[in-house]
Amino acid sequence: MLMGVSDTVMIGSVGVVSLGAATFANTLLAVPFVVGMGLLSSVSVRVSQAHGAKQPEDAKSAVIHGTWLALGLGLVVVLATLLLIPLLGHFSQPGDVTLQTPIYLLPCAVSLIPSLISLVWKNHADALNRPWPPFWITLGSVFLDILLNWLWIHGKWGFPAMGLAGAAYSTLVSRTLCMIALFVWLKNSRTLHLWTPQKWWVRWQRSEFASLLKIGIPTSFHQLAEVTAFVLASLMIGWLGVVPLASHQVAITCIATAYMVPLGISMATTVRVGEIVGANQRPRLHRVLLGSWIFATSFMSCSMLVCFLWGEPLARAFVNEPEVIKLTASLLLVAGLFQLFDGLQVVSAAALRGVDDVKVSAWIAVLAYWIISLPLGWVLGIQRGWGATGIWAALAVGLGIAAVLLMWRAWKLLGVGKETSDNLLVEIADS
């Protein structure tokens, strides 16, 4: 998120057209990146289960095949981008924006290859209870990106001023160096030596790819359903005018920042649940689930109070226009409930992922976001005239339904603290 924020701020200094081109390109690349995140989350599940079962060879196999999966997906994205560039004019964007977009789009598409591979290695380290080194390496890449942006966008220290292209190449270089740094750390870490491959060129196993895809594809579908619901909601709000769209952008920025905390808790939940399943200590699952719910509810309740009590001051921190401030404050009132539901649904889905239960979660997401939330948003926001507030209310309804159904399923499968919980996998197989 920090890299995206820094790029936006620094590209914005070049001009509105360059900022529009970068925004357009990032919008196009958001979908494959979300798909990649979901697909490669399977690595943390498989590695954590192997860690719990004390089977380092299984962990090595998962990260090797996950790396090849990331490389393959990245190459597909680059190829699709090359095919898409001649068709950019069909997206009805301003002509000067469309003309500049390939300058930024293609290098950033290539940068997804090291970014996705880095994600695999980060997931591997997280699953082995070593999250801090990848964090510092990734944070270092953010500061490197800022420095390179300054050098290459504006032409400092003797470098040519490349403008938008400089920002694109900065992203590519910083993500590539981040990948190299992660590899060097993994290769030389004494703590992870037993669990990290020393030979990466091994014979592929179709069963290992199938195992990763069995978790990754439904998880990607789940995340894609949620992300596309927000994207389409943004498009509907855009139909209402500049003020609703600006208000939506401010409010979504606030809640997206708060969402990072339950998202982090959800990743930890997947790892803990996977370890317990691997160690065959399933009576402990309900404690991890309850702990995750308590963490998510506690933080999001505080965030909800901030939205209820200080919506207008938050809005003023971003904009000065009275109409935008007033509407943003109204949206943040809806966002209060919005956030509580969002925190509970993301940790519940993560807990289910740790026990390989992902298909039902994906269909719950389709029901909540595509079948209920989006049509309801159209009716309330557009047909009934409730505007952006009505569309946000529909999103809150969808998130609430997803939270209730995912919590119910998670408790059904994980919320047993006795010996009979060994029937867990049988229940999952039956479902």
Side-chain angles (χ1 to χ4, degrees):
M1 286 194 71
L2 283 174
M3 190 175 288
V5 169
S6 65
D7 280 356
T8 299
V9 170
M10 300 184 82
I11 293 171
S13 65
V14 177
V16 176
V17 174
S18 294
L19 183 59
T23 302
F24 182 31
N26 286 328
T27 301
L28 294 174
L29 294 175
V31 171
F33 187 71
V34 168
V35 168
M37 287 182 64
L39 197 66
L40 301 174
S41 67
S42 56
V43 174
S44 61
V45 176
R46 288 292 176 245
V47 173
S48 63
Q49 290 174 348
H51 191 226
K54 302 189 185 305
Q55 296 175 342
E57 293 305 317
D58 289 350
K60 292 177 183 178
S61 180
V63 72
I64 288 172
H65 286 79
T67 301
W68 286 110
L69 197 61
L71 176 60
L73 177 61
L75 291 173
V76 168
V77 172
V78 173
L79 177 60
T81 301
L82 288 170
L83 296 175
L84 183 65
I85 285 175
L87 306 176
L88 291 177
H90 295 284
F91 286 85
S92 302
Q93 299 297 303
D96 47 358
V97 169
T98 301
L99 191 64
Q100 285 203 27
T101 297
I103 298 172
Y104 187 82
L105 178 62
L106 188 55
C108 285
V110 176
S111 78
L112 279 185
I113 296 175
S115 182
L116 292 172
I117 293 174
S118 297
L119 184 60
V120 170
W121 295 343
K122 175 194 172 298
N123 288 344
H124 179 65
D126 288 349
L128 298 173
N129 299 321
R130 291 282 286 163
W132 282 109
F135 166 77
W136 291 115
I137 291 171
T138 305
L139 186 62
S141 73
V142 173
F143 289 117
L144 175 63
D145 181 59
I146 293 172
L147 173 62
L148 294 178
N149 275 340
W150 181 71
L151 293 175
W152 295 347
I153 291 176
H154 303 291
K156 304 295 184 179
W157 292 358
F159 287 98
M162 293 187 285
L164 184 62
Y169 291 124
S170 170
T171 298
L172 175 59
V173 171
S174 59
R175 285 179 169 177
T176 301
L177 291 178
C178 177
M179 177 190 69
I180 294 171
L182 279 171
F183 180 79
V184 171
W185 171 71
L186 281 174
K187 194 79 172 175
N188 294 283
S189 172
R190 294 181 180 180
T191 307
L192 302 184
H193 181 77
L194 181 64
W195 299 88
T196 301
Q198 299 304 307
K199 295 181 179 180
W200 292 82
W201 297 95
V202 297
R203 187 174 181 180
W204 294 347
Q205 297 179 21
R206 185 179 300 178
S207 60
E208 191 65 50
F209 282 122
S211 177
L212 293 173
L213 292 174
K214 182 180 178 181
I215 299 173
I217 290 176
T219 301
S220 297
F221 197 61
H222 181 154
Q223 294 185 354
L224 196 60
E226 185 174 357
V227 168
T228 52
F230 278 87
V231 169
L232 292 174
S234 297
L235 291 176
M236 283 193 283
I237 290 172
W239 300 339
L240 301 172
V242 175
V243 170
L245 187 59
S247 303
H248 168 78
Q249 184 60 39
V250 172
I252 205 77
T253 299
C254 293
I255 67 167
T257 302
Y259 179 73
M260 292 300 101
V261 174
L263 180 63
I265 294 168
S266 75
M267 293 175 179
T269 301
T270 296
V271 170
R272 288 287 173 256
V273 169
E275 284 183 340
I276 291 170
V277 171
N280 199 26
Q281 297 173 347
R282 297 191 187 96
R284 293 174 51 206
L285 288 173
H286 73 293
R287 285 181 285 174
V288 174
L289 180 62
L290 285 174
S292 300
W293 284 349
I294 290 169
F295 270 121
T297 302
S298 299
F299 179 81
M300 292 309 245
S301 295
C302 295
S303 182
M304 178 174 62
L305 287 176
V306 171
C307 290
F308 286 167
L309 300 177
W310 294 288
E312 285 199 12
L314 272 176
R316 287 195 191 97
F318 289 87
V319 291
N320 297 319
E321 290 82 355
E323 288 183 67
V324 176
I325 292 172
K326 184 179 179 180
L327 182 53
T328 300
S330 299
L331 295 181
L332 288 174
L333 286 175
V334 181
L337 294 175
F338 195 119
Q339 287 184 298
L340 189 59
F341 296 147
D342 211 5
L344 289 170
Q345 68 88 19
V346 72
V347 296
S348 299
L352 290 168
R353 196 176 307 134
V355 293
D356 294 357
D357 187 69
V358 287
K359 291 182 180 179
V360 174
S361 300
W363 287 115
I364 287 174
V366 171
L367 170 68
Y369 306 129
W370 288 355
I371 297 178
I372 295 176
S373 190
L374 285 174
L376 183 61
W378 167 265
V379 172
L380 296 180
I382 307 299
Q383 297 295 320
R384 294 298 180 92
W386 290 14
T389 305
I391 295 171
W392 270 57
L395 289 172
V397 169
L399 285 167
I401 291 171
V404 170
L405 293 177
L406 289 168
M407 289 175 70
W408 171 78
R409 182 159 183 85
W411 185 252
K412 177 184 175 184
L413 297 182
L414 283 78
V416 247
K418 54 185 180 180
E419 293 297 326
T420 55
S421 64
D422 287 339
N423 294 326
L424 172 69
L425 294 182
V426 176
E427 291 189 52
I428 293 174
D430 289 343
S431 69

